[in-house]
Amino acid sequence: MPYLNLSYAAPEALPVAELAATLTGLTVDLLGKKESLTVVRIDRTPSDQWYVGGQALAPGQSGAVLEIRITEGTNTKVQKAAYLRAVFAALAAHFKALHPASYVSIHELPADAWGYGGETQEYRFIRGVSL
Protein backbone atom coordinates (compact mmCIF):
# COMPACT_ATOMS: atom_id res chain seq x y z
CA MET A 1 0.00 0.00 0.00
CA PRO A 2 2.53 2.56 -1.02
CA TYR A 3 1.81 6.25 -1.32
CA LEU A 4 3.91 8.17 -3.84
CA ASN A 5 4.04 11.96 -3.83
CA LEU A 6 5.81 13.54 -6.79
CA SER A 7 6.48 17.26 -6.91
CA TYR A 8 8.06 18.65 -10.05
CA ALA A 9 8.94 21.78 -11.94
CA ALA A 10 9.25 21.60 -15.71
CA PRO A 11 9.08 24.06 -18.59
CA GLU A 12 6.03 22.27 -20.01
CA ALA A 13 3.12 20.28 -18.64
CA LEU A 14 3.66 16.52 -18.66
CA PRO A 15 1.31 13.64 -19.43
CA VAL A 16 0.78 12.91 -15.75
CA ALA A 17 -1.35 9.80 -16.32
CA GLU A 18 1.57 8.21 -18.18
CA LEU A 19 3.99 9.26 -15.45
CA ALA A 20 1.69 7.85 -12.74
CA ALA A 21 1.45 4.56 -14.65
CA THR A 22 5.25 4.38 -14.95
CA LEU A 23 5.75 5.01 -11.22
CA THR A 24 3.05 2.51 -10.30
CA GLY A 25 4.61 -0.14 -12.56
CA LEU A 26 8.07 0.32 -11.05
CA THR A 27 6.63 0.15 -7.54
CA VAL A 28 4.81 -3.10 -8.34
CA ASP A 29 7.70 -4.68 -10.26
CA LEU A 30 10.64 -3.69 -8.07
CA LEU A 31 9.12 -3.43 -4.59
CA GLY A 32 6.43 -6.09 -4.97
CA LYS A 33 3.59 -3.78 -3.96
CA LYS A 34 -0.04 -4.29 -4.94
CA GLU A 35 -1.07 -2.19 -7.92
CA SER A 36 -4.63 -1.84 -6.60
CA LEU A 37 -3.35 -0.18 -3.40
CA THR A 38 -0.69 2.07 -4.94
CA VAL A 39 -1.59 5.77 -4.73
CA VAL A 40 0.29 8.35 -6.82
CA ARG A 41 -0.12 12.08 -6.26
CA ILE A 42 1.52 14.53 -8.66
CA ASP A 43 1.95 18.26 -8.09
CA ARG A 44 3.47 20.73 -10.52
CA THR A 45 5.35 23.76 -9.21
CA PRO A 46 6.15 26.72 -11.48
CA SER A 47 9.80 26.54 -12.56
CA ASP A 48 10.50 30.01 -11.16
CA GLN A 49 9.55 28.68 -7.70
CA TRP A 50 11.99 25.71 -7.74
CA TYR A 51 15.43 26.42 -6.30
CA VAL A 52 18.57 24.33 -6.00
CA GLY A 53 21.49 25.74 -4.07
CA GLY A 54 19.65 29.05 -3.72
CA GLN A 55 19.34 29.42 -7.50
CA ALA A 56 16.21 29.08 -9.60
CA LEU A 57 16.25 26.36 -12.23
CA ALA A 58 17.88 27.43 -15.48
CA PRO A 59 15.52 28.07 -18.40
CA GLY A 60 14.46 24.74 -19.89
CA GLN A 61 15.61 22.76 -16.85
CA SER A 62 13.39 20.49 -14.72
CA GLY A 63 13.48 19.39 -11.10
CA ALA A 64 11.68 16.63 -9.25
CA VAL A 65 11.28 15.14 -5.78
CA LEU A 66 9.54 11.81 -5.26
CA GLU A 67 8.69 10.63 -1.77
CA ILE A 68 7.29 7.14 -1.30
CA ARG A 69 5.85 5.70 1.89
CA ILE A 70 5.96 1.96 2.48
CA THR A 71 5.64 -0.35 5.47
CA GLU A 72 8.88 -0.72 7.40
CA GLY A 73 10.75 -3.96 6.85
CA THR A 74 8.90 -5.08 3.73
CA ASN A 75 11.78 -4.49 1.30
CA THR A 76 15.50 -5.21 1.29
CA LYS A 77 18.30 -2.69 0.81
CA VAL A 78 18.99 -4.19 -2.61
CA GLN A 79 15.35 -3.79 -3.68
CA LYS A 80 15.24 -0.19 -2.48
CA ALA A 81 18.52 0.69 -4.22
CA ALA A 82 17.28 -0.82 -7.50
CA TYR A 83 14.03 1.08 -7.12
CA LEU A 84 15.80 4.41 -6.54
CA ARG A 85 17.95 3.88 -9.65
CA ALA A 86 15.02 2.87 -11.85
CA VAL A 87 12.77 5.69 -10.68
CA PHE A 88 15.46 8.32 -11.22
CA ALA A 89 16.06 6.94 -14.73
CA ALA A 90 12.31 7.06 -15.43
CA LEU A 91 12.08 10.64 -14.20
CA ALA A 92 15.08 11.60 -16.35
CA ALA A 93 13.32 10.04 -19.36
CA HIS A 94 10.11 12.01 -18.71
CA PHE A 95 11.62 15.40 -17.84
CA LYS A 96 13.75 17.59 -20.09
CA ALA A 97 17.13 18.46 -18.60
CA LEU A 98 16.40 16.97 -15.17
CA HIS A 99 18.58 18.63 -12.55
CA PRO A 100 20.89 16.09 -10.85
CA ALA A 101 19.67 17.39 -7.46
CA SER A 102 16.32 15.69 -8.04
CA TYR A 103 15.53 13.28 -5.26
CA VAL A 104 13.80 9.98 -4.64
CA SER A 105 13.28 9.08 -0.99
CA ILE A 106 11.69 6.04 0.58
CA HIS A 107 10.05 6.57 3.95
CA GLU A 108 9.47 3.36 5.90
CA LEU A 109 6.63 3.67 8.38
CA PRO A 110 6.05 1.30 11.31
CA ALA A 111 3.24 -1.17 10.60
CA ASP A 112 1.36 -0.06 13.71
CA ALA A 113 1.33 3.58 12.53
CA TRP A 114 0.19 3.18 8.95
CA GLY A 115 -2.72 1.58 7.17
CA TYR A 116 -5.77 1.98 4.98
CA GLY A 117 -9.47 1.37 5.29
CA GLY A 118 -9.27 2.12 9.01
CA GLU A 119 -6.91 -0.78 9.80
CA THR A 120 -3.18 -0.70 10.46
CA GLN A 121 -0.79 -2.89 8.49
CA GLU A 122 0.14 -4.62 11.75
CA TYR A 123 -3.49 -5.51 12.42
CA ARG A 124 -3.84 -6.89 8.89
CA PHE A 125 -0.72 -9.02 9.40
CA ILE A 126 -1.86 -10.39 12.75
CA ARG A 127 -5.36 -11.10 11.44
CA GLY A 128 -3.88 -12.99 8.49
CA VAL A 129 -1.60 -15.24 10.55
CA SER A 130 -2.87 -18.76 11.05
CA LEU A 131 -2.15 -20.11 14.51
Side-chain angles (χ1 to χ4, degrees):
M1 60 161 241
Y3 168 68
L4 291 78
N5 188 18
L6 175 66
S7 297
Y8 78 93
E12 72 286 330
L14 294 175
V16 292
E18 179 183 318
L19 186 54
T22 297
L23 294 173
T24 298
L26 289 170
T27 303
V28 170
D29 294 344
L30 298 176
L31 296 180
K33 305 305 181 190
K34 291 181 181 177
E35 182 177 48
S36 63
L37 298 176
T38 300
V39 173
V40 178
R41 180 172 180 244
I42 300 175
D43 292 313
R44 183 175 183 205
T45 299
S47 293
D48 65 350
Q49 295 177 18
W50 195 280
Y51 292 81
V52 178
Q55 302 295 316
L57 290 175
Q61 193 169 44
S62 300
V65 173
L66 175 70
E67 296 179 284
I68 175 173
R69 291 172 178 85
I70 61 173
T71 305
E72 185 177 56
T74 58
N75 292 100
T76 67
K77 288 181 180 185
V78 172
Q79 288 172 318
K80 291 181 283 187
Y83 181 78
L84 290 173
R85 279 191 305 275
V87 167
F88 188 85
L91 293 174
H94 277 85
F95 293 99
K96 278 187 193 176
L98 184 64
H99 195 288
S102 292
Y103 298 100
V104 179
S105 63
I106 298 173
H107 302 270
E108 293 187 273
L109 302 170
D112 66 348
W114 158 251
Y116 65 94
E119 296 179 348
T120 67
Q121 290 298 83
E122 182 174 79
Y123 176 79
R124 290 174 190 286
F125 174 77
I126 293 168
R127 186 181 63 205
V129 173
S130 298
L131 299 177

